[in-house]
Amino acid sequence: IKVNFLPAELSREVDLAVVVDVLRATSTIVTALHAGASRVVPVETVEEAFAMKQREPWVLLAGESGGHMIPGFDLGNSPLDFKEKLVRGREIVMKTTNGTSAALHSKGARKIVAASFLNLARVIEEIKKESGSVVIQCAGSGGAFSMEDVLLAGAAASAFEDRLLDDASRAAVFLFRSAKLPLDQFLIDNCDHAKKLFSIGYFEDVVFCAKINMYDLLPVWRENGFVRG
Ligand code: MLT
């Protein structure tokens, strides 16, 4: 099991890519599918999202820029906005700052899943089933290290024997084991993006994204987006 702390383009040599953007894209993808969305399609640009809506007017556009909802979109990137009555049966086209491109850059891998604390147990189960190579791909922030993503990578990697880990995954395990619980408080105290979300009024999102094993659900990539695995 390898952990990429920074964004990378994954190739066919990777059997399983585990994409992580704890705050908030992958937490939101898990929540959207749990609320009944049929598919979450990540896109690179806002223009691409609007073009999809023009072709397929039934889709919902979701995402953020600077943490806030994008004008003209139907939803932001707050997992708490993805209520069943809004998203059940709907396809969601999503554009976020880092998380959606981390997913798209993982497309070379044989299988791609989305991971968050909300579905940690399912992620570990999926890695256990994989006999080939596994990369936990952290989305980071603007090309830089994001501690909350590495914490999640460590939480997942800590379920495996040392001989299966590389130095980066061991470092992630050390970090996770040294984090003081409760996790939401740890994120607010130590992670830049949690502090930013807190400062712009999304404190509840940080608390929610720090919940462990809320959902028994694994988003799996099929064709152009994540569906319930
Ligand atoms: C991202 O993709 O960078 C994040 O999901 C941003 C956020 O909505 O907090």
Side-chain angles (χ1 to χ4, degrees), residues 43-132:
V43 292
E44 283 288 2
T45 63
V46 171
E47 293 68 32
E48 216 181 310
F50 283 126
M52 272 189 83
K53 178 117 187 167
Q54 216 159 33
R55 285 196 306 272
E56 301 166 24
W58 52 87
V59 303
L60 291 174
L61 303 186
E64 55 70 45
S65 172
H68 297 292
M69 186 167 147
I70 297 165
F73 273 35
D74 303 293
L75 290 151
N77 193 31
S78 169
L80 302 172
D81 290 349
F82 288 68
K83 302 282 184 235
E84 195 178 330
K85 62 178 187 314
L86 283 177
V87 304
R88 173 154 293 284
R90 305 293 295 269
E91 181 166 321
I92 292 165
V93 175
M94 183 185 252
K95 159 74 180 111
T96 71
T97 311
N98 303 286
T100 48
S101 49
L104 291 165
H105 291 162
S106 301
K107 265 169 53 183
R110 194 179 51 76
K111 183 169 191 181
I112 312 169
V113 299
S116 65
F117 283 105
L118 301 171
N119 67 337
L120 176 62
R122 280 298 297 276
V123 170
I124 292 171
E125 200 181 293
E126 184 66 22
I127 298 174
K128 283 191 173 151
K129 282 198 301 199
E130 179 58 59
S131 56

Coordinates of all heavy atoms in Angstrom, one line a residue, residues 43-132:
V43 N -15.9 16.7 -12.7 CA -15.4 17.4 -13.9 C -14.3 18.4 -13.6 O -14.2 18.8 -12.4 CB -16.6 18.1 -14.7 CG1 -17.6 17.1 -15.3 CG2 -17.3 19.1 -13.8
E44 N -13.5 18.7 -14.6 CA -12.3 19.6 -14.3 C -12.7 21.1 -14.2 O -12.1 21.8 -13.5 CB -11.3 19.5 -15.5 CG -10.5 18.2 -15.5 CD -9.4 18.2 -14.4 OE1 -9.3 19.1 -13.6 OE2 -8.6 17.2 -14.4
T45 N -13.7 21.5 -15.0 CA -14.0 22.9 -15.0 C -15.5 23.3 -14.8 O -16.3 22.4 -15.1 CB -13.6 23.6 -16.4 OG1 -14.4 23.0 -17.4 CG2 -12.1 23.3 -16.7
V46 N -15.7 24.5 -14.4 CA -17.1 25.0 -14.2 C -17.8 25.0 -15.6 O -19.0 24.6 -15.7 CB -17.1 26.4 -13.6 CG1 -18.4 27.0 -13.6 CG2 -16.5 26.3 -12.2
E47 N -17.1 25.3 -16.6 CA -17.6 25.4 -18.0 C -18.1 24.0 -18.4 O -19.2 23.9 -19.0 CB -16.6 25.9 -19.0 CG -16.2 27.3 -18.8 CD -15.3 27.6 -17.6 OE1 -14.6 26.7 -17.1 OE2 -15.4 28.7 -17.0
E48 N -17.3 23.0 -18.1 CA -17.7 21.6 -18.4 C -19.0 21.2 -17.7 O -19.8 20.5 -18.3 CB -16.5 20.7 -18.0 CG -16.2 19.5 -18.8 CD -15.1 18.7 -18.2 OE1 -14.0 19.3 -17.9 OE2 -15.3 17.5 -18.1
A49 N -19.1 21.7 -16.5 CA -20.3 21.3 -15.7 C -21.5 22.0 -16.4 O -22.5 21.3 -16.6 CB -20.1 21.8 -14.3
F50 N -21.4 23.3 -16.7 CA -22.6 23.9 -17.4 C -22.9 23.3 -18.7 O -24.0 23.2 -19.1 CB -22.3 25.4 -17.5 CG -22.4 26.2 -16.3 CD1 -21.4 27.0 -15.8 CD2 -23.6 26.1 -15.5 CE1 -21.6 27.8 -14.6 CE2 -23.8 26.8 -14.3 CZ -22.8 27.7 -13.9
A51 N -21.8 22.9 -19.5 CA -22.1 22.3 -20.8 C -22.8 20.9 -20.6 O -23.7 20.6 -21.3 CB -20.8 22.0 -21.5
M52 N -22.5 20.2 -19.5 CA -23.2 18.9 -19.3 C -24.7 19.2 -18.9 O -25.6 18.5 -19.3 CB -22.5 18.2 -18.1 CG -21.4 17.3 -18.6 SD -20.8 16.2 -17.4 CE -22.0 14.8 -17.5
K53 N -24.9 20.3 -18.1 CA -26.3 20.6 -17.8 C -27.1 21.0 -19.0 O -28.3 20.7 -19.1 CB -26.3 21.7 -16.7 CG -27.7 22.1 -16.3 CD -27.9 21.9 -14.8 CE -29.3 22.2 -14.4 NZ -29.7 21.6 -13.1
Q54 N -26.4 21.6 -20.0 CA -27.1 22.0 -21.2 C -27.5 20.8 -22.0 O -28.6 20.7 -22.5 CB -26.3 22.9 -22.0 CG -27.0 24.0 -22.7 CD -26.2 25.2 -23.0 OE1 -25.0 25.0 -23.4 NE2 -26.7 26.4 -23.0
R55 N -26.6 19.8 -22.0 CA -26.9 18.6 -22.8 C -27.9 17.7 -22.0 O -28.7 17.0 -22.6 CB -25.6 17.8 -23.0 CG -24.7 18.3 -24.0 CD -23.6 17.3 -24.5 NE -22.9 16.7 -23.3 CZ -21.8 17.2 -22.8 NH1 -21.3 18.3 -23.3 NH2 -21.2 16.6 -21.8
E56 N -27.8 17.7 -20.7 CA -28.6 16.8 -19.9 C -29.2 17.6 -18.8 O -28.7 17.6 -17.6 CB -27.7 15.6 -19.3 CG -27.0 14.8 -20.4 CD -25.9 13.9 -19.9 OE1 -25.9 13.6 -18.7 OE2 -25.0 13.6 -20.7
P57 N -30.3 18.3 -19.0 CA -30.8 19.3 -18.1 C -31.3 18.7 -16.7 O -31.5 19.4 -15.8 CB -32.1 19.9 -18.8 CG -32.0 19.4 -20.2 CD -31.1 18.2 -20.3
W58 N -31.4 17.3 -16.7 CA -31.8 16.7 -15.4 C -30.7 16.6 -14.4 O -31.0 16.2 -13.2 CB -32.4 15.3 -15.8 CG -31.5 14.4 -16.6 CD1 -30.5 13.6 -16.1 CD2 -31.4 14.3 -18.0 NE1 -29.8 13.0 -17.1 CE2 -30.4 13.5 -18.3 CE3 -32.2 14.9 -19.0 CZ2 -30.1 13.1 -19.6 CZ3 -31.8 14.6 -20.3 CH2 -30.8 13.7 -20.6
V59 N -29.5 16.8 -14.8 CA -28.4 16.6 -13.8 C -28.4 17.8 -12.8 O -28.9 18.9 -13.1 CB -27.0 16.5 -14.4 CG1 -26.9 15.4 -15.4 CG2 -26.5 17.8 -15.0
L60 N -27.9 17.6 -11.6 CA -27.7 18.7 -10.6 C -26.2 19.0 -10.6 O -25.3 18.1 -10.7 CB -28.1 18.2 -9.2 CG -29.5 17.9 -8.9 CD1 -29.7 17.3 -7.5 CD2 -30.4 19.2 -9.1
L61 N -25.9 20.3 -10.6 CA -24.5 20.8 -10.5 C -24.2 21.0 -9.1 O -24.9 21.7 -8.3 CB -24.3 22.0 -11.3 CG -24.7 22.0 -12.8 CD1 -24.3 23.3 -13.5 CD2 -24.0 20.8 -13.5
A62 N -23.0 20.5 -8.6 CA -22.6 20.7 -7.3 C -21.1 21.0 -7.2 O -20.4 20.6 -8.1 CB -22.9 19.4 -6.4
G63 N -20.7 21.7 -6.2 CA -19.3 22.0 -6.0 C -19.0 23.3 -5.4 O -20.0 24.0 -4.8
E64 N -17.8 23.7 -5.4 CA -17.4 25.0 -4.7 C -16.2 25.6 -5.4 O -15.5 25.0 -6.2 CB -17.0 24.7 -3.2 CG -15.9 23.6 -3.0 CD -14.5 24.0 -3.4 OE1 -14.1 25.2 -3.1 OE2 -13.8 23.2 -4.0
S65 N -16.1 26.9 -5.1 CA -14.9 27.7 -5.4 C -14.6 28.5 -4.2 O -15.6 29.2 -3.7 CB -15.2 28.5 -6.7 OG -14.1 29.4 -6.9
G66 N -13.4 28.4 -3.7 CA -13.1 29.1 -2.4 C -14.0 28.6 -1.3 O -14.2 29.4 -0.3
G67 N -14.5 27.4 -1.4 CA -15.3 26.9 -0.3 C -16.8 27.1 -0.5 O -17.6 26.5 0.1
H68 N -17.1 28.1 -1.3 CA -18.5 28.5 -1.5 C -19.2 27.9 -2.7 O -18.5 27.6 -3.7 CB -18.7 30.1 -1.5 CG -18.2 30.7 -0.3 ND1 -18.9 30.6 0.9 CD2 -17.1 31.5 0.0 CE1 -18.2 31.3 1.9 NE2 -17.1 31.8 1.3
M69 N -20.5 27.9 -2.7 CA -21.3 27.4 -3.8 C -21.0 28.3 -5.1 O -20.8 29.5 -5.0 CB -22.7 27.5 -3.5 CG -23.6 26.9 -4.5 SD -25.3 26.7 -3.8 CE -26.3 26.9 -5.3
I70 N -20.9 27.6 -6.2 CA -20.6 28.3 -7.5 C -21.9 28.9 -8.0 O -22.9 28.2 -8.1 CB -20.0 27.3 -8.5 CG1 -18.6 26.8 -7.9 CG2 -19.8 28.0 -9.8 CD1 -18.1 25.6 -8.6
P71 N -21.9 30.2 -8.4 CA -23.2 30.8 -8.9 C -23.7 30.0 -10.1 O -23.0 29.6 -11.0 CB -22.7 32.2 -9.3 CG -21.5 32.5 -8.5 CD -20.8 31.2 -8.3
G72 N -25.0 29.8 -10.0 CA -25.6 29.0 -11.1 C -25.7 27.5 -10.8 O -26.4 26.8 -11.6
F73 N -24.9 27.0 -9.8 CA -25.0 25.6 -9.5 C -26.2 25.4 -8.6 O -26.8 26.3 -8.0 CB -23.7 25.2 -8.7 CG -22.5 24.8 -9.6 CD1 -22.4 25.4 -10.9 CD2 -21.7 23.8 -9.2 CE1 -21.3 25.0 -11.7 CE2 -20.6 23.4 -10.1 CZ -20.4 24.0 -11.3
D74 N -26.6 24.1 -8.5 CA -27.7 23.7 -7.6 C -27.3 23.5 -6.2 O -28.2 23.6 -5.3 CB -28.3 22.4 -8.2 CG -28.7 22.6 -9.7 OD1 -29.7 23.4 -9.9 OD2 -28.1 21.9 -10.5
L75 N -26.1 23.0 -6.0 CA -25.7 22.7 -4.6 C -24.2 23.1 -4.4 O -23.5 23.2 -5.4 CB -25.7 21.1 -4.4 CG -27.1 20.5 -4.4 CD1 -27.0 19.0 -4.9 CD2 -27.6 20.5 -2.9
G76 N -23.8 23.3 -3.2 CA -22.4 23.6 -2.9 C -21.7 22.3 -2.7 O -22.0 21.3 -3.3
N77 N -20.7 22.4 -1.8 CA -19.9 21.1 -1.6 C -20.0 20.7 -0.1 O -19.2 20.0 0.4 CB -18.4 21.4 -1.9 CG -17.6 20.1 -2.0 OD1 -18.2 19.0 -2.3 ND2 -16.4 20.1 -1.6
S78 N -21.1 21.2 0.5 CA -21.3 20.8 1.9 C -22.1 19.5 1.9 O -23.2 19.4 1.4 CB -22.2 21.9 2.6 OG -22.6 21.4 3.9
P79 N -21.5 18.5 2.6 CA -22.2 17.2 2.6 C -23.6 17.3 3.2 O -24.5 16.6 2.8 CB -21.3 16.3 3.4 CG -20.3 17.2 4.1 CD -20.2 18.4 3.3
L80 N -23.8 18.3 4.1 CA -25.0 18.4 4.8 C -26.2 18.9 3.9 O -27.3 18.8 4.2 CB -24.9 19.4 6.0 CG -23.8 18.9 7.0 CD1 -23.6 20.0 8.1 CD2 -24.3 17.6 7.7
D81 N -25.8 19.5 2.7 CA -26.8 19.9 1.8 C -27.4 18.8 0.9 O -28.4 19.0 0.3 CB -26.2 20.9 0.7 CG -25.8 22.2 1.4 OD1 -26.2 22.4 2.5 OD2 -25.1 23.0 0.7
F82 N -26.8 17.6 1.0 CA -27.2 16.5 0.1 C -28.3 15.7 0.7 O -28.1 14.6 1.1 CB -26.0 15.7 -0.4 CG -25.1 16.4 -1.3 CD1 -24.4 17.6 -0.9 CD2 -25.0 16.1 -2.7 CE1 -23.6 18.3 -1.8 CE2 -24.3 16.8 -3.6 CZ -23.5 17.9 -3.2
K83 N -29.4 16.3 0.8 CA -30.6 15.7 1.5 C -31.3 14.8 0.5 O -31.3 15.1 -0.7 CB -31.6 16.7 2.0 CG -31.0 17.7 2.9 CD -30.9 17.1 4.3 CE -30.4 18.1 5.3 NZ -29.2 17.7 6.1
E84 N -31.8 13.7 1.0 CA -32.5 12.7 0.2 C -33.5 13.3 -0.8 O -33.6 13.0 -1.9 CB -33.1 11.6 1.1 CG -33.4 10.4 0.3 CD -34.0 9.3 1.2 OE1 -33.6 9.2 2.3 OE2 -34.8 8.5 0.6
K85 N -34.3 14.2 -0.2 CA -35.4 14.8 -1.1 C -34.9 15.6 -2.3 O -35.6 15.7 -3.3 CB -36.4 15.6 -0.2 CG -35.8 16.8 0.4 CD -37.0 17.5 1.2 CE -36.6 18.8 1.8 NZ -35.4 19.0 2.6
L86 N -33.7 16.0 -2.1 CA -33.1 16.8 -3.3 C -32.4 15.9 -4.3 O -32.4 16.2 -5.5 CB -32.0 17.8 -2.7 CG -32.5 19.1 -2.1 CD1 -31.3 19.8 -1.5 CD2 -33.2 19.9 -3.1
V87 N -31.7 14.9 -3.8 CA -30.8 14.2 -4.7 C -31.2 12.7 -5.0 O -30.5 12.2 -5.9 CB -29.3 14.2 -4.1 CG1 -28.8 15.6 -3.8 CG2 -29.2 13.3 -2.8
R88 N -32.2 12.2 -4.4 CA -32.6 10.8 -4.7 C -32.8 10.6 -6.2 O -33.6 11.4 -6.8 CB -33.8 10.4 -3.9 CG -34.3 9.0 -4.3 CD -35.1 8.3 -3.2 NE -34.3 7.9 -2.1 CZ -33.4 6.8 -2.1 NH1 -33.3 6.1 -3.1 NH2 -32.7 6.6 -1.0
G89 N -32.1 9.6 -6.8 CA -32.3 9.3 -8.2 C -31.6 10.3 -9.2 O -31.7 10.1 -10.4
R90 N -30.9 11.3 -8.6 CA -30.4 12.3 -9.5 C -28.9 12.0 -9.8 O -28.2 11.5 -8.9 CB -30.5 13.7 -8.9 CG -31.9 14.1 -8.5 CD -32.8 14.3 -9.6 NE -32.5 15.4 -10.5 CZ -32.9 16.6 -10.3 NH1 -33.7 16.9 -9.3 NH2 -32.6 17.6 -11.2
E91 N -28.5 12.4 -11.0 CA -27.1 12.4 -11.3 C -26.5 13.8 -10.9 O -27.1 14.8 -11.2 CB -26.9 12.1 -12.8 CG -25.5 12.1 -13.2 CD -25.3 11.5 -14.6 OE1 -26.0 10.5 -15.0 OE2 -24.5 12.0 -15.4
I92 N -25.3 13.7 -10.3 CA -24.7 15.0 -9.8 C -23.4 15.2 -10.5 O -22.5 14.3 -10.6 CB -24.5 14.9 -8.3 CG1 -25.9 14.9 -7.6 CG2 -23.7 16.1 -7.8 CD1 -25.9 14.5 -6.2
V93 N -23.3 16.4 -11.1 CA -22.0 16.7 -11.8 C -21.3 17.6 -10.8 O -21.8 18.6 -10.3 CB -22.3 17.5 -13.1 CG1 -21.0 18.0 -13.7 CG2 -23.0 16.5 -14.1
M94 N -20.0 17.3 -10.5 CA -19.3 17.9 -9.4 C -18.0 18.6 -9.8 O -17.2 17.9 -10.5 CB -19.1 16.9 -8.3 CG -18.5 17.5 -7.1 SD -18.1 16.2 -5.9 CE -19.3 16.6 -4.6
K95 N -17.8 19.8 -9.4 CA -16.5 20.5 -9.6 C -16.1 21.1 -8.3 O -16.8 22.0 -7.7 CB -16.7 21.6 -10.7 CG -15.6 22.7 -10.7 CD -14.3 22.2 -11.2 CE -13.3 23.3 -11.2 NZ -12.2 23.1 -10.2
T96 N -14.9 20.6 -7.8 CA -14.4 21.3 -6.6 C -12.9 21.6 -6.9 O -12.4 21.3 -7.9 CB -14.5 20.3 -5.4 OG1 -13.5 19.3 -5.5 CG2 -15.8 19.7 -5.2
T97 N -12.3 22.3 -5.9 CA -11.0 22.8 -6.2 C -9.9 21.7 -6.4 O -9.1 21.8 -7.3 CB -10.6 23.8 -5.0 OG1 -11.6 24.7 -4.8 CG2 -9.3 24.6 -5.4
N98 N -9.9 20.8 -5.5 CA -8.9 19.7 -5.5 C -9.4 18.3 -5.7 O -8.8 17.5 -6.3 CB -8.1 19.8 -4.2 CG -7.4 21.1 -4.0 OD1 -6.5 21.5 -4.6 ND2 -8.0 21.9 -3.0
G99 N -10.5 18.0 -5.0 CA -11.0 16.6 -4.9 C -11.4 16.0 -6.3 O -11.1 14.9 -6.6
T100 N -12.1 16.8 -7.1 CA -12.6 16.3 -8.3 C -11.4 16.0 -9.3 O -11.4 15.0 -10.0 CB -13.7 17.2 -9.0 OG1 -13.3 18.5 -9.0 CG2 -15.0 17.1 -8.2
S101 N -10.4 16.9 -9.3 CA -9.3 16.6 -10.2 C -8.5 15.4 -9.7 O -7.9 14.6 -10.5 CB -8.5 17.8 -10.5 OG -8.1 18.5 -9.4
A102 N -8.4 15.2 -8.3 CA -7.7 14.1 -7.8 C -8.4 12.8 -8.3 O -7.7 11.8 -8.7 CB -7.7 14.1 -6.3
A103 N -9.7 12.8 -8.4 CA -10.4 11.6 -8.9 C -10.1 11.4 -10.4 O -9.8 10.3 -10.8 CB -11.9 11.8 -8.7
L104 N -10.2 12.5 -11.1 CA -10.0 12.4 -12.6 C -8.5 12.0 -12.9 O -8.3 11.2 -13.8 CB -10.3 13.7 -13.3 CG -11.8 14.1 -13.2 CD1 -12.1 15.5 -13.6 CD2 -12.6 13.1 -14.2
H105 N -7.6 12.4 -12.1 CA -6.2 12.0 -12.3 C -5.9 10.6 -11.9 O -4.8 10.1 -12.2 CB -5.2 13.0 -11.6 CG -5.2 14.3 -12.2 ND1 -4.7 15.4 -11.5 CD2 -5.6 14.8 -13.4 CE1 -4.9 16.5 -12.3 NE2 -5.4 16.1 -13.4
S106 N -6.9 10.0 -11.3 CA -6.7 8.6 -10.9 C -7.3 7.6 -11.9 O -7.2 6.4 -11.8 CB -7.4 8.3 -9.5 OG -6.8 9.1 -8.6
K107 N -7.8 8.2 -13.0 CA -8.6 7.4 -14.0 C -7.8 6.3 -14.6 O -8.3 5.3 -15.2 CB -9.2 8.3 -15.0 CG -10.6 8.6 -14.7 CD -11.2 9.7 -15.5 CE -11.2 9.5 -17.0 NZ -11.7 10.6 -17.7
G108 N -6.4 6.4 -14.6 CA -5.6 5.4 -15.2 C -5.7 4.1 -14.4 O -5.4 3.0 -15.0
A109 N -6.0 4.1 -13.2 CA -6.0 2.9 -12.3 C -7.1 1.9 -12.8 O -8.1 2.3 -13.4 CB -6.2 3.3 -10.9
R110 N -6.8 0.7 -12.5 CA -7.8 -0.4 -12.9 C -9.2 -0.2 -12.1 O -10.2 -0.3 -12.7 CB -7.2 -1.7 -12.6 CG -7.9 -2.9 -13.2 CD -7.2 -4.2 -12.9 NE -7.0 -4.4 -11.4 CZ -7.9 -4.8 -10.5 NH1 -9.2 -4.9 -10.9 NH2 -7.6 -4.9 -9.3
K111 N -9.1 0.2 -10.9 CA -10.3 0.4 -10.1 C -10.1 1.7 -9.2 O -9.0 1.9 -8.7 CB -10.6 -0.8 -9.2 CG -11.8 -0.7 -8.4 CD -12.2 -2.1 -7.8 CE -13.6 -2.0 -7.2 NZ -14.1 -3.2 -6.5
I112 N -11.1 2.5 -9.1 CA -11.0 3.7 -8.3 C -12.2 3.7 -7.3 O -13.4 3.5 -7.7 CB -11.2 5.0 -9.2 CG1 -10.3 4.9 -10.4 CG2 -10.9 6.2 -8.3 CD1 -10.6 6.0 -11.4
V113 N -11.9 4.0 -6.1 CA -12.9 4.2 -5.0 C -12.7 5.5 -4.3 O -11.6 6.1 -4.4 CB -12.9 3.0 -4.0 CG1 -13.2 1.7 -4.7 CG2 -11.6 2.9 -3.2
A114 N -13.7 6.0 -3.7 CA -13.6 7.3 -3.0 C -13.7 7.0 -1.5 O -14.6 6.2 -1.0 CB -14.7 8.2 -3.4
A115 N -12.8 7.6 -0.7 CA -12.6 7.3 0.7 C -12.8 8.6 1.5 O -12.4 9.7 1.2 CB -11.3 6.7 1.0
S116 N -13.4 8.4 2.7 CA -13.5 9.4 3.7 C -13.6 8.8 5.1 O -13.7 7.5 5.1 CB -14.8 10.2 3.5 OG -15.9 9.4 3.7
F117 N -13.6 9.5 6.1 CA -13.8 8.9 7.4 C -15.2 8.3 7.5 O -15.4 7.3 8.2 CB -13.6 9.9 8.6 CG -12.1 10.2 8.8 CD1 -11.5 11.4 8.4 CD2 -11.3 9.2 9.4 CE1 -10.2 11.6 8.6 CE2 -10.0 9.4 9.6 CZ -9.4 10.6 9.2
L118 N -16.1 8.9 6.8 CA -17.5 8.4 6.9 C -17.7 6.9 6.4 O -18.6 6.3 6.9 CB -18.4 9.3 6.0 CG -18.4 10.8 6.3 CD1 -19.2 11.6 5.2 CD2 -19.1 11.0 7.7
N119 N -16.8 6.5 5.5 CA -16.9 5.1 5.0 C -15.6 4.3 5.2 O -15.3 3.4 4.4 CB -17.3 5.1 3.5 CG -16.3 5.7 2.6 OD1 -15.4 6.4 3.0 ND2 -16.4 5.3 1.4
L120 N -14.9 4.7 6.2 CA -13.5 4.1 6.5 C -13.5 2.5 6.5 O -12.7 1.9 5.8 CB -13.0 4.6 7.8 CG -11.6 4.1 8.2 CD1 -10.5 4.4 7.2 CD2 -11.2 4.6 9.6
A121 N -14.5 1.9 7.2 CA -14.5 0.5 7.3 C -14.7 -0.2 5.9 O -14.0 -1.2 5.6 CB -15.6 0.0 8.2
R122 N -15.5 0.4 5.1 CA -15.7 -0.2 3.7 C -14.4 0.0 2.9 O -14.1 -0.9 2.0 CB -16.9 0.5 3.0 CG -18.2 0.0 3.4 CD -18.4 -1.5 3.1 NE -18.3 -1.8 1.7 CZ -19.4 -1.7 0.9 NH1 -20.6 -1.3 1.4 NH2 -19.3 -2.0 -0.4
V123 N -13.7 1.1 3.1 CA -12.5 1.3 2.3 C -11.4 0.3 2.7 O -10.8 -0.3 1.9 CB -11.9 2.8 2.6 CG1 -10.5 2.9 2.1 CG2 -12.9 3.8 2.0
I124 N -11.3 0.0 4.0 CA -10.4 -1.0 4.5 C -10.7 -2.4 4.0 O -9.8 -3.1 3.5 CB -10.3 -1.0 6.1 CG1 -9.7 0.3 6.6 CG2 -9.5 -2.2 6.6 CD1 -9.8 0.6 8.1
E125 N -12.0 -2.7 4.0 CA -12.5 -3.9 3.5 C -12.1 -4.1 2.0 O -11.6 -5.1 1.5 CB -14.0 -3.9 3.6 CG -14.7 -5.2 3.5 CD -16.2 -5.0 3.7 OE1 -16.7 -4.5 4.7 OE2 -16.9 -5.2 2.7
E126 N -12.2 -3.0 1.2 CA -11.9 -3.0 -0.2 C -10.4 -3.3 -0.4 O -10.0 -4.0 -1.3 CB -12.4 -1.7 -0.9 CG -12.2 -1.7 -2.4 CD -13.1 -2.7 -3.1 OE1 -14.1 -3.1 -2.5 OE2 -12.8 -3.0 -4.2
I127 N -9.6 -2.6 0.4 CA -8.1 -2.7 0.2 C -7.8 -4.2 0.6 O -6.9 -4.8 -0.1 CB -7.4 -1.7 1.1 CG1 -7.7 -0.3 0.7 CG2 -5.9 -2.0 1.0 CD1 -7.1 0.8 1.6
K128 N -8.4 -4.7 1.6 CA -8.1 -6.1 2.0 C -8.4 -7.1 0.9 O -7.7 -8.1 0.7 CB -8.9 -6.5 3.2 CG -8.3 -5.9 4.5 CD -8.9 -6.5 5.8 CE -8.1 -5.9 7.0 NZ -8.8 -5.8 8.2
K129 N -9.4 -6.8 0.1 CA -9.8 -7.7 -1.0 C -8.9 -7.6 -2.2 O -8.8 -8.5 -3.1 CB -11.2 -7.3 -1.5 CG -12.3 -7.8 -0.6 CD -13.7 -7.8 -1.4 CE -14.1 -6.5 -1.9 NZ -15.5 -6.2 -2.2
E130 N -8.1 -6.5 -2.3 CA -7.2 -6.3 -3.4 C -5.9 -7.0 -3.3 O -5.2 -6.9 -2.3 CB -7.0 -4.8 -3.5 CG -6.1 -4.4 -4.7 CD -6.6 -4.8 -6.0 OE1 -7.8 -4.4 -6.4 OE2 -5.9 -5.6 -6.7
S131 N -5.6 -7.9 -4.3 CA -4.3 -8.6 -4.2 C -3.2 -7.9 -5.0 O -2.0 -8.2 -4.9 CB -4.5 -10.0 -4.8 OG -5.0 -9.9 -6.1
G132 N -3.6 -6.9 -5.8 CA -2.6 -6.1 -6.5 C -2.1 -4.9 -5.8 O -2.2 -4.8 -4.6

